């Protein structure tokens, strides 16, 4: 167990749920698994409330799951902790930085960056970034290789997932709690959590016309609007409707601790951003990644880099099926033909996803690596962490 330190995490929400999604998962893990003392400075409580319903949006400070949650503006009067984590390059206030500069023992200051499977990440992880006044900040890069900071993974996650999947009752109860009807017998179940994209109609019509029933669970967000347009009705949270073989359920927001269950219950997961992308991999399910679009097209390079790793040992046909559907999804092309090719390979895709999850699990999780990196930067430790199973 590591020496307890005071951690300050800073989360500026750019958009959507991913910034706070990552911050909240990391903060909870540092407290629950690493016995650290964590303060989370946050600037968007409306986004947080979607994934943590018990939050009090107006409270100056509050403690949930052992994490002290503080309004962003209060950093100006705060004394820095032993560790300062700036998430995704968010800017700290000048007053707080001045306090860092004045500290007798300077805190370890890290900029925790976005996840990417690109090779350059290996060379930038834990590199220093000198700041004015002689302070040094370091980069911390999540990633898929031994040279990076790894991926967030709670202790015992795999065992919890497997135990859940062994019990059909767990799935029934989870769906009932979410207000979702049990899917038709032998139905294909698909979870949809994506950004806006054109051309969903051909895909929806193909599923409606397929002899095999499909249950499509749609998370709140832009895809619900596109689906409502195809249905020619406003599909509201919690509502269910059918067209031919396709049953569509609008899933209300679920607390982050229960988000995994949606993935575990589905046969195919369509996920986005960063955190749900990682959770689909821990769910060991065939999945499609709708990557966060960037103006310069950098997201296409990121997908290619990930697929190079993910499909490195896959059979040719399986590779083609995945590449074809992910390209169609991310480039706004007609999905119907690529979808059929993907679904035809489901059993092999399932085996592949399970083997990929096992490979990733062999590496230490991100929170363990972060705690270790901090100890090493403070000169307290020189060893490299080993994977904590599950
Ligand atoms: O919401 P995202 O698209 O997030 C982001 C942000 O846009 C961010 O600015 C960008 O930098 C990043 O993507 C790449 O997708 P993501 O990362 O999957 O985060 C969603 C979080 O919301 C994740 O923690 C799961 C959680 N969630 C719930 O807890 N309950 C829910 O019902 C839903 C739909 C999501």
């Amino acid at each position: 167990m590591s020496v307890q330190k005071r951690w300050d995490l800073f989360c500026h929400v750019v958009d959507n749920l991913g910034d706070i999604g990552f911050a909240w998962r990391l903060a909870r893990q540092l407290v629950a698994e690493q016995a650290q003392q964590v303060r989370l400075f946050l600037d968007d409580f409306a986004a947080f409330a979607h994934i943590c319903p018990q939050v009090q949006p107006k409270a100056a400070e509050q403690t949930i799951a052992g994490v002290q949650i503080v309004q962003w503006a209060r950093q100006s009067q705060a004394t820095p902790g032993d560790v300062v984590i700036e998430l995704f390059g968010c800017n700290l206030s000048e007053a707080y930085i001045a306090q860092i500069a004045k500290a007798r023992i300077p805190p370890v200051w890290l900029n925790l960056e976005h996840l990417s499977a690109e090779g350059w990440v290996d060379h930038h992880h834990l590199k220093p970034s000198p700041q004015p006044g002689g302070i040094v900040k370091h980069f911390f890069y999540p990633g898929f290789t031994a040279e990076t900071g790894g991926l967030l993974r709670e202790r015992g996650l795999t065992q919890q997932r497997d135990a859940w999947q062994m019990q059909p009752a767990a799935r029934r109860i989870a769906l009932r709690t979410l207000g979702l009807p049990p899917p038709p017998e032998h139905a294909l179940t698909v979870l949809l959590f994506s950004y806006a994209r054109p051309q969903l109609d051909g895909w929806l019509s193909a599923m409606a016309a397929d002899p095999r029933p499909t249950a499509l669970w749609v998370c709140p967000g832009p895809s619900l609007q596109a689906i409502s347009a195809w249905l020619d009705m406003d599909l509201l949270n919690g509502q269910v409707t059918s067209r031919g073989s396709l049953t569509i359920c609008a899933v209300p927001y679920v607390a982050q601790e229960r988000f995994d269950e949606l993935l575990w219950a589905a046969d195919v997961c369509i996920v986005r951003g960063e955190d749900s992308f990682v959770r689909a991999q821990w769910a060991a399910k065939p999945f499609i990644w709708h990557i966060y679009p960037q103006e310069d097209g950098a997201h296409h390079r990121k997908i290619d880099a990930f697929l190079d790793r993910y499909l490195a040992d896959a059979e040719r046909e399986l590779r083609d099926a995945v590449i074809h559907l992910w390209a169609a999804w991310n480039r706004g092309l007609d999905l119907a033909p690529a979808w059929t090719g993907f679904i035809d390979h489901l059993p092999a895709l399932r085996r592949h996803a399970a083997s990929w999850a096992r490979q990733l699990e062999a590496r230490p999780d991100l929170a363990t690596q972060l705690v270790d990196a901090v100890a090493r930067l403070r000169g307290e430790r020189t060893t490299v962490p080993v994977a904590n199973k599950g």
Side-chain angles (χ1 to χ4, degrees), residues 136-330:
V136 179
K137 177 157 97 174
H138 287 80
F139 289 103
F140 187 98
Y141 278 91
F144 297 90
T145 65
E147 287 71 32
T148 66
L151 302 171
L152 280 178
R153 184 183 79 242
E154 293 78 4
R155 198 170 286 159
L157 178 65
T158 305
Q159 290 88 333
Q160 205 191 331
R161 177 199 69 200
D162 292 347
W164 193 95
Q165 281 177 334
M166 299 270 287
Q167 299 169 24
R171 185 177 192 260
R172 271 200 307 278
I173 294 165
L175 296 182
R176 200 182 315 132
T177 317
L178 292 165
L180 300 177
E185 217 179 333
H186 308 303
L188 177 75
T189 50
V190 180
L191 178 73
L192 175 60
F193 178 46
S194 77
Y195 302 116
R197 74 176 296 290
Q199 307 235 43
L200 277 184
D201 290 14
W203 177 56
L204 296 167
S205 300
M207 289 190 286
D210 196 305
R212 180 179 178 185
T214 300
L216 181 64
W217 301 326
V218 189
C219 293
S223 12
L224 200 55
Q225 286 146 28
I227 286 171
S228 292
W230 179 75
L231 287 168
D232 200 18
M233 65 179 269
D234 271 337
L235 193 64
L236 305 174
N237 273 345
Q239 218 178 336
V240 181
T241 191
S242 292
R243 296 288 185 275
S245 303
L246 178 63
T247 305
I248 304 178
C249 314
V251 190
Y253 281 113
V254 298
Q256 195 187 49
E257 301 89 291
R258 304 214 50 199
F259 183 69
D260 282 338
E261 291 177 52
L262 281 173
L263 304 168
W264 296 347
D267 295 312
V268 178
C269 300
I270 303 165
V271 288
R272 70 185 202 190
E274 200 164 307
D275 190 57
S276 58
F277 163 60
V278 171
R279 302 316 283 186
Q281 292 168 69
W282 293 135
K285 288 297 169 82
F287 76 104
I288 302 164
W289 181 25
H290 194 181
I291 192 169
Y292 185 78
Q294 286 170 270
E295 271 174 18
D296 55 1
H299 55 291
H300 293 302
R301 285 195 297 280
K302 285 191 181 168
I303 292 194
D304 292 347
F306 175 74
L307 285 179
D308 280 351
R309 294 190 193 281
Y310 183 63
L311 298 172
D313 55 6
E315 301 277 341
R316 174 79 192 271
E317 281 193 3
L318 194 124
R319 276 180 68 86
D320 290 350
V322 174
I323 291 172
H324 192 185
L325 182 57
W326 284 36
W329 195 284
N330 282 287

